[in-house]
Structure formats: structure tokens, C-alpha cells
Amino acid sequence: MVLVFIDQTEGHIKKSSFEVLTYGAKLAAQLGTTAEGLLLGTVNDELPALGKYGIKKVHQVSSDTLNHLDAQVFAKVIAEAVTSTGADTVVFSHNQTGKAVAPRVAARLKAGIVTGASALPDTANGFVVRKTVFSGKAFANVKIDSPIKIISLNPNSYHTAAGEGTAEVVALNIAVDAPKVKITAVNKVSGEVPLTEADIVVSGGRGLKGPENWNILLDLAKELHAATACSRPVADAHWRPHHEHVGQTGIQIAPNLYIAIGISGAIQHLAGVNRSKTIVVINKDPESPFFKAADYGIVGDAFEVVPKLTEEIRKMRAGG
Amino acid sequence: MKILVCISKTPDTTSKIAFVNGNTKFDEAGVQWIINPYDEWYALVRAIELKEKDASIVLHLVTVGGADCDPIIRKALALGGDEAIRVNADNADSFYIASQIAEIAKQGGYDLVLTGKETIDYNGSAIGAMVAELLDAPYISLATKFDLAGNTATVAREIEGGEEIAEVQLPLVVSCQKGVAEQRIPNMRGIMAARTKPLKVAEPAAVDALTSIVSYELPPPKAGVKLVSPDNVAELVRLLHEEAKAI
Ligand SMILES: Cc1cc2nc3c(=O)[nH]c(=O)nc-3n(C[C@H](O)[C@H](O)[C@H](O)COP(=O)(O)OP(=O)(O)OC[C@H]3O[C@@H](n4cnc5c(N)ncnc54)[C@H](O)[C@@H]3O)c2cc1C
């Protein structure tokens, strides 16, 4: 049985969970078995409706303690759930929660894990999972040799597909330890689209010359309901907050659309964005290395091109 | 107070990524090696800052690898730290490495283990969590701030669209990223001092790896950029809408 970890926050199931549910159900079909979900804590969403992603059951450990992440507590509960449900394959999203918990569960169960998986495993000869390595510059095919196998899937690398079906909700009775991590505050950047969850990201580099020029980028982002990002020197100069820094040493993202404005496309920058589906580059230098990594490009002055782009998108939206 | 910082050797960020032996091995020809930036800039520098504030802190570095890691660990010692331990073993897999580090951590009785959030070559993001599990200690991943007052750590960690602040009692394992500290350049005094700091070599514990790399692949090359004239921005919008279906 393939057990899929369903991640939730503030009463709602995260978007990345729908990807892993779809992936888990596909994997189960490939292995000739069934997929089931595992939810820790309580949510307001309809759980039987998760059946539309192809899972038969949702196991729920509904303790309020589990509405907040303590990796140590989570790992123990999940490992017990794996044992009691008899799962031999466990799937997580390689998101913030998955990174904290999945390798812990693996160590606890002495199960081999592949983190950052980007495709379904090849199960023709053993169990080989493809993962991104070298910050998106290559893939490794990694064989898991243990009886229990754990995969954490890169967010945005597997398309959610919903069909018909309802899942049976089963209460799992597992003792939950008292958390040792005491959460004292949560600071969310309100009103903005979270960068790692965003479908579209608009990003600026040193070519924008200074923080006072960011409104052209913010206007475009607003029109596209996009998250905003920046290159490292921009964050280092405090033109933009650190949490917007993408790249090898910043956040790695894989949106559907990445629009790079006044960014040269240094190899360390590309390492954080090269898994984006479509890349648009706006740069006044035709020799900018970013054009080599781009799908679409405009060689031109950002200060002229970006406002025009915002305007054209507005027109298209208005036109239907 | 004893702190252990995990150090990994990685290819420089500008290295050409290529593979040899029928795509089963990373091509090391001409590669410059560096300390994994997350280990160096964030985990190690933060530990050094803590020691600068409280000289009674004992700061050790650990790496798992062959003698080829020694120059890297000396570089790390040039930034700071009292001594280093190298577990003399090949990098078999995350579980193997984490088991070796956990063994050193247990023997040394460390209160705090810091790692980088991932290595820039394998991108595992797994060692810290595994070490924490093997030590049965709490774990905070993707930390963006780290402070210590007595035995209580205050840590900010990345969550979707923001950060979460938490308090935890030591012992604790934390994986660090941007925000925790700022990059430092080693000075001459540090480099000289590093030469005489102890670098102990430990033999590995008997542990079986659970995974193995079968082969590597490079991504297919991009089809090539479609350039649109700056005077025809509407065409870009049309392509993004109709062809890429991205907006
Ligand atoms: C170990 C290491 C790690 C690193 N990690 C990261 C990382 O994680 N993320 C990251 O981003 N960088 C990282 N860097 C830095 C990276 O090497 C580059 O220096 C950086 O990405 C450059 O930022 P930029 O493109 O904004 O600036 P520049 O390289 O200065 O590029 C500015 C660009 O703007 C264009 N431009 C100027 N004016 C205009 C205009 N009016 N209209 C349109 N275009 C214009 C220019 O043609 C140029 O291409 C790292 C470096 C090292 C050594």
C-alpha cells in the first residue's frame, strides 16, 4: 500500500498535497496496489472528497497538537501509522514540512528515502527514483534497497489530476507526545502570494537600479497575481527583503511562469529557477546569459518594456 | 556548551556539471571544491558568532569523507572552531552519513548540532532531520534566525509565505539557511591558526546504506529562446497566453 502524507495548515490542506495524492495514486496503480492518505490534525476541508485524486482511504490522527509542526512528534506518529497500516511506500511533498519530517521517518523506520523526486519511480528493475541534483542542473536515478521506501516529491513537478471517487475516513488511534517545540509567533507576509506556492513569479535584478524603481515590477506582479522575487545582490543591498532571494543560496522555486527583469542569469541564479516551466527574460543586453535559459525574451529597457507588458496583460484580461 | 557543525565538501557553484563512467560518476576534472555554502555561511558562521559572545562554548566541526576533504575542513577551521573530526568513509547515502554524524554527536555529548539546509550537489535536505531522529532530539529545519539564551534556543524557520518563531530547549538539531548569519572571509590569522588545530580522523560505524545512485542524466537542452521585439509586447502576451498557456 502507498501511504501519502497530507500536509495542512490553518485548517486547510495545502496545494502540494493534491500533487502528492495524484502521484501516490498513480504510483499505486503502477505497483498494482492501492493508495491511502494520512492526515495529522484537524481541517475544515471535506476529507472524503480527496477520493477524487485516486485514494481509497484517509487515515486521520485528529489531535489538535498535530495542527502545528514538531518534527520529532510528527515522525513518531507517521512511523507508527506506516507500521499499523502496513504501508510499504510513503510519499511526502518535498516542501517545508516534508523536509523536516520525511527524512526523520526514514531514519526511524530504516527506510531508504529519495528527497526531491521529480518523476514516478521506475519499478521495472527494482525501485529507481529520479531526483534533481546539482541544484536543478542534473538528475540522479537513485535506487532504494530497503523494504519500506520513502519518496518526497518536488513541489510543482507533478500535475494534479482529479477524477471521481470518495475516500473513506478512518480514525487512527496513535498516542501523540507533548511537543518540545513551542511556537511563539507566526509572521506571514500578508496580502502577497507566497513565493514557493506561486504559479507565476516576477523577479527583479540589479538592472532595476534601485528599490525606488520596483513599482513597475510590483504593478506587473499584481496584474498577474504573481509572487515577487529578486536576485541575490538585490537582497544583499536590502532593496528587497531576504525572503525574496532566489537562487543556489536562496530559495529554489519551480513556478509555471518565471519573468526575470534586469537579471543577468548567473549560474547561481539559474540554479534556483531553472525548474520553472516557462521562463521570460527582459534584459537590455542581448548577450545576457539568461537568454540561453529562457523560452521567451525581449531585448530592451525594462523601464519601457515592463509597463507596456502590464498594460497589454490588462488589455488581454479585459478582452476576455 | 558544546556545538557540532556539519561540514560538507561540494563543487564550486560555477562548476561544469558533467558525468563519466557511463553517466555513473560526477566528472571531477577541473572542479574547484568549496565548503558547502549553507554549511559555511550560515551554520558555521552562526556557531562562531555564538562562541565569540560566550568563550566557554566548545565548537567542533564534523565531516564524513576521505582525506580529500582535509583542505576543506582546514578552510572551515580558518573561519573558526576549536577542532574538527573527519569520519573516514565514502559518502554512501544520506542515512549512512547521518548515522556517522549521530555517532560522533552521541560520543561527544553535543548540546547543539547545526547543518546547512542542503548540500548544493546532492540537494538532499535530509542529514539534519536524520541526525535529529537518531539522537531522538527536536529538529528545526530551514532556520532563518537562531539565538541562544542559556539552554533555550529561539529559532525562526521558513514556512509557506512567511516564518514561524519557536522556542526549544537544547539538545537540538537545526538546519540553517540565509538570514541565520552573514558570509565571512577568513583572515590570515585564522588561516595560520587552522594549521595547528586538531583534525581527528575517526573510523566509521558499521552501517548499511539504504539507497544507491544508479546513474546521472543532464536535462534536455532548451529549445532556444523566442525573441520578441520591444515594440511588440502584445506579441509576447499572445505567446504566453496561446502557446505557453502560462497566463
Ligand atoms: C557562491 C555564490 C552563490 C551565489 N548565489 C546566488 C543566488 O542564490 N542567487 C543569485 O541571484 N545570485 C547568486 N550569486 C550571485 C550571482 O553570481 C550574480 O552575481 C547575481 O545573480 C547577479 O545579480 P543580477 O543579475 O541582479 O545583477 P547583474 O549581474 O549586475 O545583472 C544586471 C542585469 O541587468 C541588466 N540591465 C541593466 N539595466 C537594465 C535595464 N534598464 N533594462 C533591462 N535590463 C537591464 C544588465 O544587462 C544585466 O544583465 C551567487 C554567487 C556566488 C559566488
Side-chain angles (χ1 to χ4, degrees):
Chain A
M1 189 264 283
V2 177
L3 189 65
V4 181
F5 176 73
I6 302 169
D7 193 16
Q8 55 106 350
T9 182
E10 295 172 343
H12 293 290
I13 293 167
K14 292 183 191 170
K15 182 184 131 199
S16 54
S17 296
F18 306 137
E19 295 167 12
V20 285
L21 285 168
T22 311
Y23 177 96
K26 256 276 158 54
L27 175 57
Q30 183 179 323
L31 294 169
T33 176
T34 54
E36 300 176 3
L38 173 64
L39 177 72
L40 269 48
T42 49
V43 294
N44 305 321
D45 304 342
E46 282 295 326
L47 296 179
L50 294 174
K52 68 176 181 235
Y53 299 106
I55 56 162
K56 296 279 174 267
K57 280 186 195 170
V58 177
H59 302 274
Q60 184 177 21
V61 188
S62 30
S63 148
D64 284 343
T65 308
L66 298 172
N67 288 334
H68 301 283
L69 175 68
D70 180 319
Q72 191 177 16
V73 176
F74 270 46
K76 201 171 158 204
V77 171
I78 296 168
E80 269 190 47
V82 172
T83 311
S84 71
T85 59
D88 54 13
T89 310
V90 192
V91 181
F92 292 84
S93 171
H94 194 50
N95 66 356
Q96 288 88 345
T97 311
K99 286 176 186 176
V101 174
R104 276 198 86 127
V105 175
R108 194 172 181 90
L109 294 171
K110 303 269 176 293
I113 182 170
V114 176
T115 57
S118 61
L120 282 166
D122 177 353
T123 49
N125 303 296
F127 196 100
V128 179
V129 192
R130 206 163 123 102
K131 87 179 282 300
T132 45
V133 289
F134 296 101
S135 309
K137 285 174 238 166
F139 298 102
N141 297 309
V142 186
K143 185 160 168 280
I144 305 184
D145 299 311
S146 53
I148 297 178
K149 298 165 174 74
I150 302 186
I151 298 172
S152 73
L153 177 70
N154 270 335
N156 274 335
S157 63
Y158 202 79
H159 245 291
T160 301
E164 301 284 310
T166 39
E168 179 195 347
V169 181
V170 187
L172 262 191
N173 217 335
I174 294 176
V176 179
D177 289 349
K180 290 188 194 153
V181 174
K182 193 173 125 220
I183 296 162
T184 55
V186 173
N187 307 322
K188 287 226 174 171
V189 201
S190 60
E192 287 176 30
V193 184
L195 187 52
T196 47
E197 300 261 282
D199 271 334
I200 305 180
V201 174
V202 179
S203 185
R206 268 215 302 235
L208 284 176
K209 309 283 189 296
E212 66 282 5
N213 296 327
W214 239 260
N215 8 353
I216 55 167
L217 188 150
L218 297 178
D219 285 346
L220 175 60
K222 202 165 157 215
E223 194 58 40
L224 288 168
H225 304 292
T228 49
C230 67
S231 67
R232 179 172 164 219
V234 165
D236 283 351
H238 303 291
W239 295 0
R240 296 299 296 170
H242 276 316
H243 66 250
E244 285 197 2
H245 160 196
V246 292
Q248 185 133 37
T249 50
I251 290 176
Q252 283 92 42
I253 54 173
N256 273 326
L257 177 60
Y258 183 74
I259 305 181
I261 303 168
I263 305 177
S264 58
I267 192 160
Q268 298 93 354
H269 184 85
L270 296 180
V273 303
N274 54 12
R275 291 193 296 109
S276 309
K277 287 235 166 60
T278 301
I279 296 180
V280 174
V281 169
I282 300 169
N283 195 305
K284 71 172 184 191
D285 174 11
E287 301 295 314
S288 154
F290 219 145
F291 285 117
K292 289 204 182 70
D295 301 285
Y296 302 99
I298 293 185
V299 179
D301 185 342
F303 297 100
E304 289 166 20
V305 173
V306 176
K308 276 199 224 164
L309 182 58
T310 310
E311 189 49 41
E312 288 299 336
I313 290 166
R314 194 172 291 147
K315 270 201 233 158
M316 184 198 77
R317 293 259 154 104
Chain B
M1 167 85 56
K2 288 184 81 178
I3 303 179
L4 184 66
V5 176
C6 306
I7 298 290
S8 179
K9 170 187 145 207
T10 56
D12 177 71
T13 54
T14 56
S15 303
K16 183 174 177 315
I17 306 302
F19 303 101
V20 292
N21 296 0
N23 281 333
T24 59
K25 203 178 159 299
F26 174 60
D27 184 0
E28 299 187 356
V31 167
Q32 296 263 8
W33 297 94
I34 59 169
I35 309 169
N36 180 44
Y38 294 109
D39 304 347
E40 177 187 346
W41 301 352
Y42 309 125
L44 177 58
V45 174
R46 188 65 192 125
I48 293 167
E49 288 171 356
L50 294 171
K51 190 177 161 74
E52 284 167 353
K53 273 200 284 181
D54 175 359
S56 73
I57 289 178
V58 175
L59 173 54
H60 291 174
L61 318 185
V62 64
T63 195
V64 179
D68 53 320
C69 294
D70 288 350
I72 292 301
I73 203 107
R74 289 267 178 228
K75 258 192 204 166
L77 284 170
L79 284 163
D82 303 307
E83 67 173 59
I85 304 143
R86 176 169 64 79
V87 181
N88 188 30
D90 282 340
N91 279 350
D93 79 341
S94 306
F95 180 70
Y96 181 86
I97 297 167
S99 301
Q100 303 306 333
I101 294 172
E103 198 52 44
I104 296 291
K106 268 182 213 161
Q107 286 169 12
Y110 296 92
D111 307 282
L112 176 65
V113 179
L114 298 179
T115 72
K117 77 161 180 179
E118 64 176 21
T119 55
I120 61 168
D121 49 3
Y122 190 69
N123 304 129
S125 247
I127 300 293
M130 288 183 176
V131 170
E133 186 61 35
L134 295 166
L135 297 176
D136 197 19
Y139 176 56
I140 306 260
S141 58
L142 308 175
T144 53
K145 279 187 207 102
F146 182 89
D147 265 305
L148 207 52
N151 248 346
T152 308
T154 305
V155 196
R157 74 172 181 100
E158 175 198 318
I159 56 172
E160 281 93 349
E163 58 172 22
E164 182 181 87
I165 320 287
E167 281 177 12
V168 203
Q169 301 297 311
L170 303 185
L172 172 67
V173 181
V174 178
S175 85
C176 303
Q177 62 168 334
K178 186 160 184 137
V180 165
E182 300 273 339
Q183 182 182 5
R184 283 190 183 185
I185 311 289
N187 56 29
M188 209 49 205
R189 226 180 66 215
I191 295 168
M192 296 304 287
R195 288 188 187 161
T196 53
K197 287 181 184 174
L199 197 176
K200 296 181 178 157
V201 178
E203 284 314 309
V207 177
D208 287 328
L210 304 169
T211 63
S212 51
I213 296 179
V214 179
S215 62
Y216 292 98
E217 276 169 50
L218 290 170
K222 280 253 174 190
V225 61
K226 266 194 194 166
L227 287 180
V228 175
S229 153
D231 301 320
N232 194 5
V233 177
E235 172 63 6
L236 176 64
V237 174
R238 189 192 69 78
L239 286 168
L240 288 177
H241 184 58
E242 291 175 10
E243 188 177 80
K245 302 206 176 358
I247 57 174

